[in-house]
Amino acid sequence: MTFKPTSQPINIEEVREMSKLTGEALKKKMDRDRELEAIIKGEDKRILLVIGPCSSDNEEAVLEYARRLSKLQEEVKERIFMAMRVYTAKPRTNGDGYKGMIHHPGGNDAPSLINGIKAVRKLHYRVITETGLTTADEMLYPENLSLVEDLVSYIAVGARSVENQQHRFVASGINVPTGMKNPTSGNLNVMFNGVYAAQNKQSFLFNSQEVQTDGNPLAHVILRGGLNEFGKNIPNYYYDNLLDTIEQYEKTELEYPFIIVDTNHDNSGKNHMEQVRIIRQTLINRDWNTKINQVVRGFMIESYLEDGRQDAPDIFGKSITDPCLGWENTVELVQEIYETLGK
C-alpha cells in the first residue's frame, strides 16, 4: 500500500461551519440559483456568462475582479446573467508545478491540502457575501464536492473528466446546473453520454457509502473545441457544429437542451483575444437561425484583471495558467453582447 495518510480524516461539517452562508447572503444565493435554473430551463431568456479567471490563484486579485464584475452585472442584468468562475483546482495543462488553490493556497508553495480547502471555501464565501455574485467551479475531484457544494452555484465537468464514470455519476446527484464539456478529441457522443448519465438516476459507491441519486435535469453541453491526431485545433462553435449538436440533443431527447460555447481552449487555440470574435460569430448565428437562438444561450469566458498570462505570479491579476482577457477588453465585450441582444 503506497497511500500514506498525511492528515487526520476531514470533518466535513466542521469545515463547512467555518464559512457557512446565513441570513441575507444565503437568501441572495438562493434567489440567484433560482434565476440560473430558470435560464437553463428556458423560462428566463437571458444569456448566461460563466466568466472569470482561468484559475483563481490569488484571493485579493480574484476579489478585486469580483467587485468589478458585480458592478458590471448590475449594468447588464436585464439581458445577461453572470456566474463568476472561481476555479480553485485548476492546474496547468501538463500538471507540472501549480495545481490550483486547493493544492497551493499560498501560490507556488508546497502542497497544503487542508489549508487549501479552507482557502477555497473562504474565497467562494467572500465573493458571495462581499459582492452578491454567485460562483462556478470545476469538479476536478468528485470526492471534494461535499466540501464546496453548499457554496457553488454552477459546476463544470472538464474535457478530461467527462469520460470518467465517477464524474458522470456524481454529476447526477448535483442540484445545480452542471456543464459537461466535450472531450479533447471533440467526440460529441462521449459528451452526450456524459449528459445522459448525469440526467438519470444512478447507484454507486461515493465517499465510502452506497448512494442513489435522482438525476440532474440541469446537466447540459459545453462546446470547447478539440484536437485532431496531429495536435491541431478543431473548433466546434461554427454554424454547422451548433446545428449538429442541436440535432444530437433532439435524438437523445434530453431535458432542457442548453448549449454553452466555451470561447477559449481548443475553440480559440488559447488565443485570449479570439474569444471576442467567437462570441460575435455565435451571436450572428443565433440571429440567423431560430433553433440556434433557442438552444445556444451561454458563453464560457476566461477573463481576469490583465490580458494574457505569465509563468510566475509577478503581475497582480494576470493569469498563471491559460491566457485571459483583461478587464478593459472584458467590459467592452460584455457591453457589446448586451447591446447586440437588445437589437
Side-chain angles (χ1 to χ4, degrees):
M1 189 74 169
T2 59
F3 295 95
K4 299 176 182 178
T6 57
S7 76
Q8 295 298 314
I10 296 169
N11 185 321
I12 294 174
E13 292 306 316
E14 190 176 284
V15 170
R16 284 188 174 191
E17 283 295 326
M18 295 178 189
S19 42
K20 186 176 181 180
L21 293 176
T22 59
E24 190 60 32
L26 179 59
K27 181 182 181 300
K28 176 72 172 177
K29 179 183 183 297
M30 292 172 66
D31 289 344
R32 279 181 56 84
D33 285 354
R34 282 190 288 269
E35 291 179 55
L36 180 51
E37 179 176 344
I39 290 170
I40 300 295
K41 290 181 174 179
E43 300 162 358
D44 183 329
K45 300 302 182 182
R46 286 180 291 174
I47 287 289
L48 170 62
L49 302 185
V50 182
I51 183 170
C54 172
S55 183
S56 293
D57 60 298
N58 178 292
E59 181 177 330
E60 291 308 317
V62 171
L63 283 164
E64 174 60 26
Y65 179 92
R67 294 183 194 104
R68 297 183 191 184
L69 193 70
S70 177
K71 293 177 182 177
L72 184 59
Q73 168 69 100
E74 187 64 24
E75 293 172 14
V76 300
K77 64 182 180 181
E78 180 187 348
R79 301 171 195 152
I80 296 171
F81 182 99
M82 299 187 202
M84 181 175 158
R85 285 175 60 110
V86 181
Y87 279 30
T88 54
K90 189 81 172 178
R92 292 197 169 106
T93 301
N94 64 3
D96 188 31
Y98 181 73
K99 295 180 176 65
M101 180 177 284
I102 197 164
H103 282 266
H104 303 282
N108 277 323
D109 297 341
S112 177
L113 289 162
I114 299 300
N115 289 331
I117 290 164
K118 294 175 183 176
V120 164
R121 284 193 60 87
K122 180 184 175 187
L123 181 57
H124 280 284
Y125 179 85
R126 289 192 66 188
V127 170
I128 297 165
T129 57
E130 295 179 23
T131 73
L133 291 171
T134 39
T135 60
D137 207 339
E138 181 174 342
M139 186 173 64
L140 197 64
Y141 309 113
E143 298 85 353
N144 292 352
L145 176 67
S146 56
L147 297 168
V148 295
E149 63 181 340
D150 59 316
L151 296 174
V152 177
S153 295
Y154 182 97
I155 289 176
V157 176
R160 296 162 188 82
S161 303
V162 72
E163 297 188 63
N164 181 270
Q165 197 78 315
Q166 188 186 25
H167 282 82
R168 293 175 172 185
F169 281 10
V170 170
S172 74
I174 294 172
N175 62 2
V176 297
T178 302
M180 315 284 283
K181 290 193 176 187
N182 63 263
T184 53
S185 67
N187 188 317
L188 296 188
N189 288 327
V190 169
M191 174 182 64
F192 273 101
N193 287 338
V195 176
Y196 180 87
Q199 285 200 1
N200 282 275
K201 297 178 180 180
Q202 305 294 347
S203 299
F204 57 103
L205 291 174
F206 184 60
N207 287 343
S208 303
Q209 286 183 297
E210 185 176 355
V211 299
Q212 293 181 334
T213 64
D214 293 330
N216 179 359
L218 304 178
H220 58 272
V221 160
I222 302 175
L223 297 178
R224 49 87 72 200
L227 293 171
N228 66 14
E229 63 270 31
F230 305 107
K232 180 181 177 181
N233 290 94
I234 307 296
N236 59 9
Y237 62 86
Y238 294 123
Y239 186 82
D240 289 345
N241 299 130
L242 298 177
L243 290 178
D244 287 345
T245 308
I246 291 168
E247 183 180 359
Q248 285 202 240
Y249 248 126
E250 293 170 344
K251 287 179 181 177
T252 51
E253 298 182 344
L254 293 164
E255 290 196 70
Y256 309 122
F258 191 93
I259 295 172
I260 287 179
V261 172
D262 180 347
T263 61
N264 215 2
H265 299 103
D266 288 334
N267 273 331
S268 69
K270 296 189 179 180
N271 180 343
H272 59 283
M273 289 304 299
E274 282 290 283
Q275 296 182 100
V276 177
R277 182 187 60 79
I278 291 167
I279 288 175
R280 286 176 180 168
Q281 184 167 338
T282 306
L283 291 174
I284 290 171
N285 290 335
R286 278 172 42 88
D287 283 342
W288 189 257
N289 186 283
T290 302
K291 280 189 176 181
I292 293 175
N293 187 276
Q294 291 172 342
V295 179
V296 182
R297 289 186 284 119
F299 296 103
M300 185 167 281
I301 303 168
E302 293 195 327
S303 155
Y304 211 174
L305 298 179
E306 301 291 338
D307 281 307
R309 69 171 301 278
Q310 58 188 341
D311 289 323
D314 297 325
I315 300 172
F316 185 76
K318 189 169 186 174
S319 176
I320 60 171
T321 49
D322 288 348
C324 296
L325 278 180
W327 182 248
E328 291 182 7
N329 284 315
T330 297
V331 172
E332 289 181 9
L333 177 58
V334 172
Q335 289 175 340
E336 181 178 334
I337 295 169
Y338 178 80
E339 290 165 6
T340 302
L341 293 172
K343 292 178 182 178

